């Protein structure tokens, strides 16, 4: 059974940095692209970043380009989201996700950026 567990969220001041980690288990991690999504209060969940199964390709939402970096370690079954120059509008619950016939979600980790 596929499982995703996020960690690394917290409270940070505007301009600060956080590094999120997603630990994956129960599926062939290195075969699948991985995603980070986020959902702010009262808003729909949005795709933040995607990384190819072998880590050679990445894509980002326009709102985070140049500030966020997605990476993965296929030996450790982990995917990371390095977030720099954080803004209050980045405040959200961040979710790790993978599509394996159905979309699998982690429980999410809260990121709060104070102004």
């Amino acid at each position: 059974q596929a499982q995703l567990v996020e960690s690394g969220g917290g409270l940070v001041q505007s301009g600060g940095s956080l590094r999120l980690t997603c630990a994956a288990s129960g599926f062939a991690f290195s075969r699948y692209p991985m995603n980070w999504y986020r959902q702010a209060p009262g808003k729909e969940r949005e795709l933040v970043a995607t990384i190819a199964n072998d880590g050679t390709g990445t894509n980002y939402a326009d709102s985070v380009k140049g500030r966020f970096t997605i990476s993965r370690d296929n030996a450790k079954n982990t995917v990371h989201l390095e977030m720099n120059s954080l803004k209050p509008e980045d405040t959200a619950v961040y979710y790790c996700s993978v599509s394996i016939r159905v979309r699998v979600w982690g429980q999410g980790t809260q990121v709060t950026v104070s102004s």
Side-chain angles (χ1 to χ4, degrees):
Q1 181 177 355
Q3 187 174 11
L4 302 170
V5 179
E6 301 96 335
S7 61
L11 173 64
V12 64
Q13 288 188 335
S14 182
S17 299
L18 282 174
R19 186 175 190 247
L20 306 184
T21 295
C22 172
S25 61
F27 66 100
F29 179 77
S30 63
R31 294 184 182 179
Y32 295 93
M34 295 296 296
N35 310 116
W36 282 99
Y37 285 75
R38 68 185 181 186
Q39 187 166 20
K43 295 188 177 181
E44 293 188 356
R45 194 169 296 189
E46 64 169 339
L47 178 62
V48 174
T50 299
I51 187 166
N53 66 308
D54 60 0
T56 59
T58 57
N59 281 293
Y60 299 92
D62 288 344
S63 58
V64 308
K65 278 181 182 177
R67 300 188 298 121
F68 289 14
T69 302
I70 188 171
S71 62
R72 67 190 295 161
D73 185 339
N74 284 349
K76 296 182 178 179
N77 284 9
T78 55
V79 59
H80 305 281
L81 187 67
E82 186 76 34
M83 305 185 296
N84 298 313
S85 302
L86 282 162
K87 306 175 182 180
E89 50 264 44
D90 294 318
T91 294
V93 179
Y94 284 72
Y95 298 91
C96 179
S97 184
V98 63
S99 181
I100 312 171
R101 297 185 299 277
V102 296
R103 182 156 291 280
V104 179
W105 300 93
Q107 83 288 353
T109 186
Q110 176 70 47
V111 172
T112 303
V113 184
S114 63
S115 57

